[in-house]
Amino acid sequence: MTGTTNPNRATPVVAVVPFERVPTTAAKVIAAHVSGYLNLAAETLPPRTIPPDTLDPGRLQYNAASLIQAIEAIPLKNYFKVIALFDVDLFIPLFTHVFGEARQNGRVAIVSLFRLESHADGSSPPSDRVLERVAKIALHELGHLLNLLHCDDDRCLMHFSGGVDTLDQTTFNFCRYCRTALHRALRQGGPVTKPP
Ligand SMILES: [Zn+2]
Ligand SMILES: [Zn+2]
C-alpha cells in the first residue's frame, strides 16, 4: 500500500447497519462515536434481516465468520467500512462467544449487544452502560478494519476484552501508539479532515 491519497475519492463514510430487533438508539450511538472519535462521517442504515444459514444448529449461536462473509456480499453502496449490529449471540470456533469480530484490514465488522446486556454476575446494567459497551466494541472492531492490532495498554480501546469487566475498565481512548496507527491508516484508506 502506498501513502498517496486519491484526490478524486469521495469522503469516506462508515455505515452502521442494525439487524432485526436491534434498537435504533444503539446504532445511532455507534455512529455518533465513530464520527466523534475518528472524525469520519457515519450513517445509520435501515434494519435488515439476519442472513440465513449463519445460525449454527449445534451451538445455537451465530457464526461470526459466516455473518461477515454474508454481509460482505450485500451490495451496500460505496461505504468505506460497515459496522453490522446484532442482538444475537456470536461465536468463532475455539471461543465460547465474541462481543464482536472483524477481519484485519477488512470492510465489515460485526458487533453484538447480546453479552453486553448483563454484568459478569448476571445482574442487569443500566441501559447507558450497555450503549457505552457497544460503542467501545464498535470502535475496537473498526480499529481492526483499519488494521490495528490488539494493544497491551488496558485502558486503550484496542485492548482485548474477554469479559464485560475488562471492557468497563477500558476508556474511550486510543493510546498514543494506536492513535498514530489509526491516523496513518485513515490517510492511506481515505482522505479525512485533520485528525482530532
Ligand atoms: Zn480485537
Ligand atoms: Zn493502544
Side-chain angles (χ1 to χ4, degrees), residues 140-141 144 150 160:
H140 175 99
E141 300 306 340
H144 284 310
H150 285 157
F160 172 75

Side-chain angles (χ1 to χ4, degrees), residues 151 153 156-158 174-175 177-178:
C151 178
D153 184 340
C156 174
L157 282 166
M158 287 316 291
F174 289 101
C175 73
Y177 174 82
C178 291

